[in-house]
């Protein structure tokens, strides 16, 4: 399984960005976004089941971020709205079989990460 994340960049606080994660290989999995800010641990942002589209969002992004997927294009998106300075991080997409979990160690495959910088 290969994952290719893109869409990061510099945005002002209150702005929006959409991240994309292109997948190859089997996609009857869970897809998730994590992020890691400098000096902090990697944290779960959102997850989605590929077949059913069931989603889970971290409390810190609930109501601002939305995870979705396009099965035909084999792409998972993270729409990020009302961005805050504390959202600044490298964002990673990841995949695993089984259920959505917030534990990064449970994910077997990872993309290379895309940097999101929110200026205040």
């Amino acid at each position: 399984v290969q994952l290719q994340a893109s869409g990061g960049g510099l945005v002002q606080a209150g702005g929006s960005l959409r991240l994309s994660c292109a997948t190859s290989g089997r996609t009857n999995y869970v897809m998730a976004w994590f992020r890691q800010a400098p000096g902090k641990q990697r944290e779960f942002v959102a997850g989605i089941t590929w077949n059913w589209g069931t989603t889970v969002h971290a409390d810190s992004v609930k109501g601002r971020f939305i995870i979705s997927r396009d099965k035909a294009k084999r792409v998972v998106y993270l729409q990020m709205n009302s961005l805050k300075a504390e959202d600044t991080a490298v964002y990673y997409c990841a995949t695993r079989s089984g259920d959505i979990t917030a534990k990064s160690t449970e994910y077997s495959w990872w993309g290379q990460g895309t940097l999101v910088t929110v200026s205040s």
Side-chain angles (χ1 to χ4, degrees):
V1 177
Q2 291 186 328
L3 305 175
Q4 181 71 36
S6 62
L10 175 64
V11 63
Q12 288 188 334
S16 298
L17 276 177
R18 189 178 76 162
L19 305 183
S20 300
C21 179
T23 72
S24 64
R26 293 173 60 193
T27 49
N28 56 335
Y29 288 171
V30 163
M31 297 293 300
W33 287 97
F34 286 78
R35 66 186 181 186
Q36 187 166 19
K40 295 188 177 181
Q41 290 188 332
R42 192 167 296 189
E43 65 170 346
F44 174 81
V45 176
I48 187 168
T49 59
W50 189 259
N51 285 334
W52 298 102
T54 303
T55 62
V56 175
H57 294 80
D59 287 344
S60 59
V61 305
K62 204 169 290 183
R64 300 188 298 122
F65 292 9
I66 300 173
I67 189 172
S68 63
R69 89 276 192 248
D70 185 321
K71 296 176 74 174
K73 294 182 179 180
R74 304 173 72 88
V75 177
V76 175
Y77 301 102
L78 185 68
Q79 178 66 44
M80 305 187 295
N81 303 317
S82 302
L83 282 160
K84 305 175 181 179
E86 52 262 44
D87 295 318
T88 295
V90 177
Y91 284 72
Y92 298 90
C93 57
T95 187
R96 69 183 298 269
S97 57
D99 298 328
I100 298 172
T101 174
K103 296 180 180 179
S104 61
T105 54
E106 298 292 324
Y107 289 80
S108 303
W109 295 276
W110 291 82
Q112 84 286 6
T114 185
L115 176 62
V116 172
T117 303
V118 184
S119 62
S120 57

